[in-house]
Amino acid sequence: MNKLLPKPSKVIDFQRETFDNFTITLDAKMKHEPGQFVQVSLLGFGEAPISIASHSDKYIKLNIHEVGNVTNALAKLKKGDKVFIKGPYGKGYPMKKLKGNDIIIIGGGCGVAPLKGVIDYIGQNRSNYNNVMLFLGFRTPDDILFNKELKKWRKDYHVNVSVDKDPKKTCYDFNVGFITEMLEKTDLNNNNKVVFLCGPPIMINKVIEILKNKGFNDNQMFVSNERLMFCGIGMCCHCMIRGKLTCLDGPVFRYDEINKYEND
Amino acid sequence: MVNLLKLKKAHLKKFLNKLKNEHKLYVPVKTDLVRFEEYKGDIYLKENSYFPIKEFFFKKEETLFDYNKNKISVPEKESEKRIFFGVRRCDLNAIKHQDMIFIEKFNDPYYKKERENSILIGYHCNTAPSEFCFCGSMDLKDCQDLMFFDKGSYFLVEISSKKGSSLIKKHKEFFKNTDKKITTKKIPNTDILHTKDISNLYNNPDWKKASSMCLSCSACTALCPTCYCHSIHDEGNVHNLNKGKRKRTWSSCQLKEFTKVAGGHVFREKREDRFKHRIYHQLEYFKERYGVNLCTGCGRCISGCPTRINWLKLVNEMKK
């Protein structure tokens, strides 16, 4: 079988989240773990690795930030259009192994996308996990993703949303300031807790530092990493973090697996 | 099965001419540089080729598929019968390592097609062809179909595979039996990388000595017979943008763009980290996954480096 050939998939829904972010739903039926990703391509523009922001075997949702050639082109998709996908790839969050724990989900910006897959999974398997806390950070109130879902999450979980800045002074129910400040203020211990992280590197580093100060161990934190990738199967080597391949051994790593690797 | 035969040197060209009539035959030729070209009567065996034969199999540019609107089709490729004569032990092992990746692990149809029907005839170095050769440090194996040992007026020809054996059978008029033996396959003065385990040297400050001379030009990876990192891009047809090709092209971990994600963040920003990444991939990371060193000790990354960064010397002299 030729592993480099993508399969066509139909766009069944297009939802704009913010001025530079949108969610597409594809009719791809695939079994996957929360935190895994697919390679999405638009022929002529190229391929981009995008994490799966849903948990269903009937469709996949992809939340996409318009930041490069492929994602800018994907933003012009309409219902009924075709894209090409490969995957699912990588290792996701080990949900089954973590049954019975409290789960703390910390996401920044479009890093919330793979975590939405986790939240959907928890929703479907609620009894397997105890308390669920969400810390979600965005740049401004206009950048907040998954507004519709947030309303539901607020009912079911302990949700903290913060925005870095509030230039238009429109913020009533969110905290203004970095997500790290909010985390620092929250009274947390590491008893039967695991932390799922995804976001910009600078946020991840700071969050880890705070959690360590609160007594969390490296093996309680799971980080989803972003890297440049092309093949998705461990052949092209762009995504290497030292000897680890983000596409095969990750993108989700338990932090003690990669905690020594700073400059990769 | 007789696995050692004798071929008179005077008969080599006749043998090659015969091969050439039946297959495409590539041999090292000295033009501006020594490189593998189709055999036209000249052959140059005094040095190793400047470019390894990697590019005949793992192509600099490979079309993965053509697209037309939303239809994709894989271009049909003929599998040519090719013979490569005069390949050194380091480069033969390098092809084996590429086989491990592209065939054994990923069953890559594009690479496989290029490798099918190709016969590799080795030429064993009597002495190291370059001062930077360090194959003696790299645990090389026999990966050829036939190996030619240069004994002055004749070659001893070792039959190393079924493919090699049937080629010999077809041309048995050139070969004579012999009671001679190959006593050693070690090439003298090539065990010059003394520190083979570099796992504890990652934070050694001496790496800066090398990376401060590095221009990030990527000559080392382009000349390397084993480097297999690549990128994948779409190339549109300028006359009809609905049509185009998805292509796989060589890329290099020495370039900043190698880890640059959309938005502009570069993960391996420092030249020192990129320099180390190559050496560690060659000597450590690949071994963790595939059980052998990726590097085969050809020394091209030093001889082809514009600032001649001798990382062997550097690693040997690092304090553990």
Side-chain angles (χ1 to χ4, degrees):
Chain A
M1 197 190 75
N2 188 337
K3 292 174 186 158
L4 297 169
L5 294 187
K7 287 196 182 110
S9 184
K10 210 165 81 182
V11 178
I12 51 176
D13 190 36
F14 184 100
Q15 204 74 43
R16 186 147 280 285
E17 301 280 350
T18 70
F19 75 99
D20 64 352
N21 184 296
F22 58 94
T23 301
I24 50 172
T25 311
L26 302 178
D27 70 348
K29 293 172 181 58
M30 54 171 75
K31 274 207 163 138
H32 61 88
E33 299 165 23
Q36 279 191 301
F37 67 97
V38 289
Q39 283 280 13
V40 188
S41 55
L42 267 182
L43 302 180
F45 293 93
E47 249 175 341
I50 308 283
S51 59
I52 302 171
S54 59
H55 193 78
S56 165
D57 48 15
K58 294 190 184 70
Y59 60 84
I60 57 168
K61 278 181 187 286
L62 306 174
N63 176 264
I64 298 167
H65 195 63
E66 290 161 58
V67 68
N69 292 338
V70 182
T71 49
N72 281 329
L74 287 166
K76 297 188 179 75
L77 285 172
K78 293 182 299 293
K79 230 186 204 179
D81 285 347
K82 242 188 210 175
V83 295
F84 282 80
I85 56 167
K86 291 187 312 193
Y89 291 136
K91 247 167 58 188
Y93 293 94
M95 300 309 294
K96 282 185 186 140
K97 279 191 195 155
L98 299 173
K99 278 182 189 175
N101 280 291
D102 287 351
I103 294 186
I104 303 171
I105 291 172
I106 305 176
C110 54
V112 176
L115 297 170
K116 183 187 170 280
V118 174
I119 301 169
D120 285 5
Y121 177 93
I122 294 173
Q124 293 159 26
N125 301 276
R126 187 65 191 93
S127 57
N128 289 341
Y129 307 95
N130 294 332
N131 292 325
V132 177
M133 277 178 110
L134 313 182
F135 290 88
L136 309 176
F138 302 96
R139 273 176 299 185
T140 71
D142 289 339
D143 292 306
I144 294 173
L145 305 178
F146 307 117
N147 272 303
K148 236 185 353 189
E149 289 84 355
L150 259 175
K151 281 181 195 141
K152 190 176 175 303
W153 296 345
R154 280 180 185 283
K155 281 184 212 153
D156 300 344
Y157 314 116
H158 182 77
V159 180
N160 300 283
V161 177
S162 60
V163 290
D164 303 346
K165 279 180 258 169
D166 182 21
K168 295 185 206 155
K169 304 281 172 227
T170 52
C171 193
Y172 303 110
D173 43 359
F174 310 121
N175 174 55
V176 180
F178 288 127
I179 188 171
T180 45
E181 293 163 16
M182 196 159 189
L183 189 68
E184 201 136 32
K185 276 187 243 165
T186 312
D187 188 23
L188 280 177
N189 61 45
N190 71 337
N191 269 352
N192 289 331
K193 286 186 182 65
V194 288
V195 185
F196 294 169
L197 278 162
C198 188
I202 188 160
M203 180 204 100
I204 302 257
N205 293 342
K206 186 80 186 139
V207 165
I208 287 171
E209 194 187 311
I210 294 169
L211 290 171
K212 279 183 156 181
N213 286 339
K214 288 186 185 288
F216 281 81
N217 301 319
D218 287 357
N219 62 9
Q220 289 179 285
M221 300 187 256
F222 294 82
V223 184
S224 178
N225 276 329
E226 181 198 11
R227 285 296 180 279
L228 179 65
M229 19 180 112
F230 288 99
C231 68
I233 52 178
M235 199 155 76
C236 80
C237 293
H238 281 263
C239 68
M240 281 177 95
I241 303 176
R242 304 281 172 101
K244 302 220 181 281
L245 288 158
T246 308
C247 64
L248 285 184
D249 309 319
V252 177
F253 291 97
R254 204 171 69 189
Y255 187 59
D256 58 326
E257 295 171 336
I258 48 163
N259 57 3
K260 290 184 204 84
Y261 307 157
E262 272 168 20
N263 305 318
D264 278 275
Chain B
M1 186 175 83
V2 185
N3 72 351
L4 206 58
L5 295 164
K6 197 170 152 180
L7 172 77
K8 275 193 184 160
K9 250 192 189 167
H11 292 162
L12 176 69
K13 288 208 169 171
K14 279 185 202 159
F15 171 60
L16 293 179
N17 277 325
K18 195 92 189 288
L19 291 183
K20 187 188 134 196
N21 293 336
E22 291 159 15
H23 305 274
K24 267 199 169 162
L25 173 65
Y26 293 87
V27 299
V29 178
K30 186 163 173 128
T31 52
D32 51 338
L33 297 160
V34 184
R35 60 177 93 223
F36 275 81
E37 286 183 359
E38 268 191 66
Y39 179 64
K40 292 196 180 94
D42 288 327
I43 181 161
Y44 187 80
L45 294 168
K46 285 186 191 140
E47 302 161 34
N48 194 3
S49 61
Y50 188 79
F51 297 103
I53 58 166
K54 174 173 85 174
E55 61 187 302
F56 287 92
F57 309 110
F58 170 39
K59 301 270 179 179
K60 280 182 187 160
E61 188 177 278
E62 180 88 64
T63 299
L64 300 179
F65 57 79
D66 295 302
Y67 60 83
N68 186 355
K69 278 191 180 165
N70 272 328
K71 286 218 169 74
I72 58 178
S73 56
V74 180
E76 294 223 355
K77 206 154 116 172
E78 295 265 317
S79 171
E80 273 183 316
K81 281 198 168 173
R82 297 185 294 184
I83 298 182
F84 294 85
F85 177 86
V87 189
R88 307 293 170 127
R89 195 164 158 83
C90 51
D91 291 347
L92 290 162
N93 273 265
I95 294 296
K96 172 70 189 161
H97 295 173
Q98 301 249 313
D99 288 353
M100 287 163 77
I101 303 155
F102 289 108
I103 298 178
E104 291 163 30
K105 176 102 185 204
F106 295 108
N107 197 16
D108 181 82
Y110 310 94
Y111 178 89
K112 215 168 155 183
K113 210 77 235 185
E114 300 290 347
R115 275 291 279 125
E116 267 172 11
N117 293 330
S118 63
I119 297 175
L120 301 176
I121 305 178
Y123 174 75
H124 202 273
C125 306
N126 279 335
T127 54
S130 134
E131 59 179 305
F132 303 115
C133 289
F134 60 103
C135 59
S137 307
M138 300 323 285
D139 300 328
L140 301 190
K141 295 187 178 67
D142 287 337
C143 306
Q144 67 279 349
D145 295 306
L146 296 173
M147 181 62 96
F148 277 51
F149 293 83
D150 198 328
K151 297 287 173 195
S153 62
Y154 63 93
F155 291 107
L156 280 181
V157 180
E158 188 186 59
I159 303 167
S160 322
S161 76
K162 271 190 190 161
K163 265 190 198 172
S165 158
S166 47
L167 189 75
I168 292 283
K169 257 183 216 153
K170 223 169 142 190
H171 301 283
K172 54 178 180 259
E173 69 271 23
F174 295 105
F175 299 92
K176 294 224 161 62
N177 288 336
T178 179
D179 49 10
K180 296 221 160 41
K181 290 215 160 58
I182 303 291
T183 43
T184 177
K185 287 183 178 172
K186 283 239 155 81
I187 302 160
N189 306 322
T190 55
D191 187 7
I192 55 171
L193 175 64
H194 307 309
T195 311
K196 282 156 207 167
D197 179 8
I198 56 168
S199 54
N200 292 322
L201 297 174
Y202 197 86
N203 295 319
N204 195 299
D206 288 353
W207 286 109
K208 280 201 179 63
K209 286 186 203 162
S211 61
S212 65
M213 286 163 72
C214 175
L215 308 174
S216 283
C217 72
S218 78
C220 47
T221 52
L223 295 175
C224 178
T226 62
C227 276
Y228 62 99
C229 297
H230 56 265
S231 301
I232 297 172
H233 294 290
D234 285 7
E235 202 175 282
N237 180 331
V238 282
H239 302 295
N240 180 355
L241 288 176
N242 285 323
K243 287 186 182 175
K245 294 170 189 301
R246 178 158 296 173
K247 286 183 171 176
R248 168 165 85 191
T249 50
W250 289 4
S251 66
S252 169
C253 60
Q254 298 305 295
L255 305 174
K256 255 193 189 183
E257 284 71 20
F258 193 77
T259 57
K260 189 177 184 177
V261 285
H265 184 78
V266 176
F267 284 93
R268 223 171 284 121
E269 173 84 42
K270 277 163 53 193
R271 215 164 15 166
E272 183 189 340
D273 292 326
R274 296 199 296 276
F275 186 87
K276 282 195 274 188
H277 183 79
R278 179 175 69 86
I279 309 290
Y280 274 83
H281 193 187
Q282 293 284 348
L283 298 184
E284 202 176 289
Y285 306 153
F286 189 80
K287 200 171 189 171
E288 287 165 7
R289 224 166 265 274
Y290 292 86
V292 289
N293 284 317
L294 180 56
C295 179
T296 57
C298 75
R300 286 186 182 90
C301 56
I302 308 171
S303 59
C305 174
T307 61
R308 284 283 155 84
I309 301 173
N310 191 336
W311 63 269
L312 296 176
K313 207 165 157 247
L314 181 92
V315 169
N316 283 339
E317 287 167 7
M318 273 183 192
K319 283 197 187 105
K320 270 157 243 166

